[in-house]
Every structure is written in C-alpha cells, then in structure tokens.
Amino acid sequence: QLQVVESGGGLVQPGGSLRLSCAASGFTLDYYDIGWFRQAPGKEREGVSCISSSGGSTHYADSVKGRFTISRDKAKNTVYLQMNSLRPEDTAIYYCAATARDTIQAMCVVPLYDYWGQGTQVTVSS
C-alpha cells in the first residue's frame, strides 16, 4: 500500500510563507505524479498544484499562480510546495496525493489521484 505523509503546515500571518513537504513511505516518488490539494471548511477539495513524475510538467490553480511553487527533490524522495504571499483564503487542510496514472501534463483533478496523505492544516490569519 502506497503511503504519503504531509508536513509543514501551521499558522502564519497574511503575506507570510510556508513550505509543505510530502514524503513517501516505503516507495520512491520518482514513478508517481504528485499533487497538492486543499479543502476549506464547507468547501469542495480542489487541486492546488501538481507535478509529473519526471518533474517536467507542473500545474497551478489560477488562485495560486505566481505565489506557490511545486518541486521535487528526488535525492530526498520528497515533493515540496513553497507557498508565498499567503492570504486568508488560502486557509485549508492541504493534502498530498500520488498517482501512477498518466495525468497528462500534471492534470490536477481529484479523481486522478489514488493515494492520499492525512492532511496538514494551513491557517492564514492576522
């Protein structure tokens, strides 16, 4: 069973930054597309940013373009989400997910992803 674990969430002020990490348990992430998703209270889960297994293709939701960056560190078997210029509307539980499917240029939609972490809370508040 594939397992991923998120970390790095916390409480930050608007305009601040956080870096989320997604680590694999018992397997290498090199062969999987990885996505970051988030869900705010009362809202549907939405794709934030996704990256292909090679790292050559990425996707960003319009709401985070220019502020968030997804990256792979294959040596550390970890995928990161660097979040800058955070806004209160970024507050949500953030989930890391993996899929062995071909997502086609890191297509970032929930149904394509099979293996989900437990989530890490990000709160942006003044």
Side-chain angles (χ1 to χ4, degrees), residues 2-112:
L2 301 178
Q3 294 184 354
V4 294
V5 180
E6 312 96 332
S7 62
L11 173 64
V12 297
Q13 294 184 337
S17 298
L18 286 173
R19 188 178 72 166
L20 305 183
S21 298
C22 177
S25 178
F27 69 100
T28 178
L29 294 178
D30 289 359
Y31 303 103
Y32 297 87
D33 290 2
I34 303 296
W36 285 99
F37 299 80
R38 67 186 182 188
Q39 188 165 21
K43 305 295 183 181
E44 294 185 351
R45 191 169 300 185
E46 63 177 355
V48 177
S49 184
C50 295
I51 189 167
S52 63
S53 58
S54 68
S57 296
T58 58
H59 166 87
Y60 297 94
D62 288 343
S63 59
V64 306
K65 285 181 179 177
R67 300 188 297 122
F68 292 9
T69 303
I70 191 169
S71 62
R72 286 182 176 269
D73 187 337
K74 294 190 175 184
K76 296 181 178 180
N77 201 28
T78 301
V79 173
Y80 300 102
L81 183 68
Q82 179 67 46
M83 305 186 295
N84 298 326
S85 302
L86 284 162
R87 305 166 180 169
E89 53 263 42
D90 295 318
T91 296
I93 300 174
Y94 283 70
Y95 298 90
C96 181
T99 181
R101 302 178 188 182
D102 180 5
T103 60
I104 307 178
Q105 298 181 342
M107 187 176 182
C108 206
V109 295
V110 168
L112 294 180

